[in-house]
């Protein structure tokens, strides 16, 4: 579980990220889960944009995604979900001490 300092650090990193992933009207599909899983393994931190066509509330989508991906929700802002999952074999993000 992330503490507040770690979340603040990740929010700063996520601010620079582009919306490289999107959720549309089909919302959470096995293909979307596979794509997000690969991205989390490679980058550890991803930003997902929920399009206007999504019907499910953002918080519910974020909780479902975090559960399916075994990731942590860093932030929900606007229509964006920021997720983090450490890669134990290749840590890219080092938290400041």
């Amino acid at each position: 579980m992330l503490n507040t300092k770690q979340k603040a650090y990740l929010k700063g990193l996520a601010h620079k990220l582009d919306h490289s992933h999107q959720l549309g009207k089909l919302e959470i599909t096995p293909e979307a889960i596979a794509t997000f899983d690969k991205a989390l393994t490679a980058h550890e931190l991803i930003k997902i944009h929920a399009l206007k066509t999504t019907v499910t509330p953002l918080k519910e989508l974020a909780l479902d995604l975090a559960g399916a991906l075994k990731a942590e929700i860093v932030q929900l802002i606007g229509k964006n979900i920021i997720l983090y999952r450490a890669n134990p074999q290749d840590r890219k993000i080092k938290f400041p001490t």
Side-chain angles (χ1 to χ4, degrees):
M1 180 147 226
L2 298 170
N3 62 37
T4 53
K5 286 185 179 183
Q6 291 171 326
K7 280 190 177 185
Y9 179 71
L10 291 172
K11 286 176 189 180
L13 293 176
H15 181 69
K16 300 171 191 170
L17 294 177
D18 289 331
H19 300 100
S20 56
H21 307 286
Q22 295 181 343
L23 278 176
K25 67 180 179 181
L26 297 177
E27 297 181 1
I28 301 173
T29 62
E31 294 81 14
I33 295 291
T35 300
F36 300 150
D37 184 54
K38 286 179 187 174
L40 279 169
T41 300
H43 304 289
E44 295 184 327
L45 185 69
I46 61 171
K47 188 187 289 187
I48 302 167
H49 180 73
L51 300 176
K52 292 178 183 178
T53 56
T54 57
V55 178
T56 308
L58 190 69
K59 187 171 185 176
E60 192 175 322
L61 282 172
L63 289 170
D64 290 346
L65 279 171
L69 295 166
K70 295 177 180 60
E72 294 197 50
I73 300 169
V74 175
Q75 186 178 31
L76 301 175
I77 185 164
K79 288 290 227 172
N80 296 315
I81 302 167
I82 301 169
L83 297 177
Y84 169 77
R85 183 181 71 199
N87 182 345
Q89 287 124 7
D90 184 22
R91 299 276 311 224
K92 303 224 184 314
I93 297 175
K94 308 274 193 267
F95 291 104
T97 54

